Amino acid sequence: DVAQLLLTELHCTKTFTGTASIQGILDKLSQVIPNKHKGVSITGGACLILASELASFFVEDPRLLPLLTNMYDFREEFPYDLRGSSFSIKNLCVSMLAASNEVFLREVYTGRAVYGGLLRRTLLIKPDEARQPNSLVDPSKPIDEILADNQKKDLLRVLDEIAKMKGPLSVDDNAAVLYTNWYDELYHNYDKYGS
């Protein structure tokens, strides 16, 4: 909810919430979206998919997992065919922030997703501590409690600066070594713990 609130106020990227088909997402990413707030249209294939429950976000489709796996990498051009019409998405860059639980994750991360490569392109965060109790009786309370006005303004300012950045990402040599060591250790643990 907080991510959606911030991105709605920023008006800097395409966002998807609720339920969507992979074809519907690709179709929207190929379009120019008018932006009344900033006066500059949102172009290109950058987007954030926000799903409070991952298993309920995507419409079931046998092509979903292969397409999601293929869309993981940035693409300057991403051609696709939708109902007989060919389209091309410029600068495809899809990010997803989704929540789930073990039961519903297994519905999405089936054997096809695990062994087809989607799981390897996913960063899973599992909490290792208990949260404060929240009965969810007052639906208006959580966002106000999480973000005070001044925090929201600071976050929006920083996110706006990030949204203005252009060009390729460069990785510091020390960060590359750290990542490679972590990845190698993880890779060699597959035999020990299974994939």
Side-chain angles (χ1 to χ4, degrees), residues 32-97:
V32 174
I33 308 294
N35 186 343
K36 297 173 189 170
H37 301 280
K38 289 189 175 180
V40 178
S41 296
I42 301 173
T43 61
C47 74
L48 179 63
I49 296 169
L50 295 162
S52 0
E53 175 45 63
L54 178 60
S56 71
F57 180 81
F58 290 106
V59 174
E60 283 190 45
D61 185 323
R63 294 181 299 170
L64 172 65
L65 295 176
L67 276 169
L68 274 179
T69 305
N70 190 27
M71 292 164 57
Y72 171 78
D73 290 323
F74 169 79
R75 305 260 200 270
E76 284 186 36
E77 288 283 330
F78 187 83
Y80 73 100
D81 188 69
L82 180 64
R83 295 183 290 272
S85 299
S86 294
F87 295 89
S88 184
I89 299 171
K90 304 271 188 214
N91 300 318
L92 179 73
C93 183
V94 178
S95 297
M96 180 166 54
L97 178 61

Side-chain angles (χ1 to χ4, degrees), residues 21-28 61 63 67 80 82-83:
S21 70
I22 194 68
Q23 293 84 1
I25 290 171
L26 289 169
D27 188 36
K28 274 278 199 236
D61 185 323
R63 294 181 299 170
L67 276 169
Y80 73 100
L82 180 64
R83 295 183 290 272

Side-chain angles (χ1 to χ4, degrees), residues 165-169:
M165 292 180 176
K166 302 261 186 252
L169 174 74

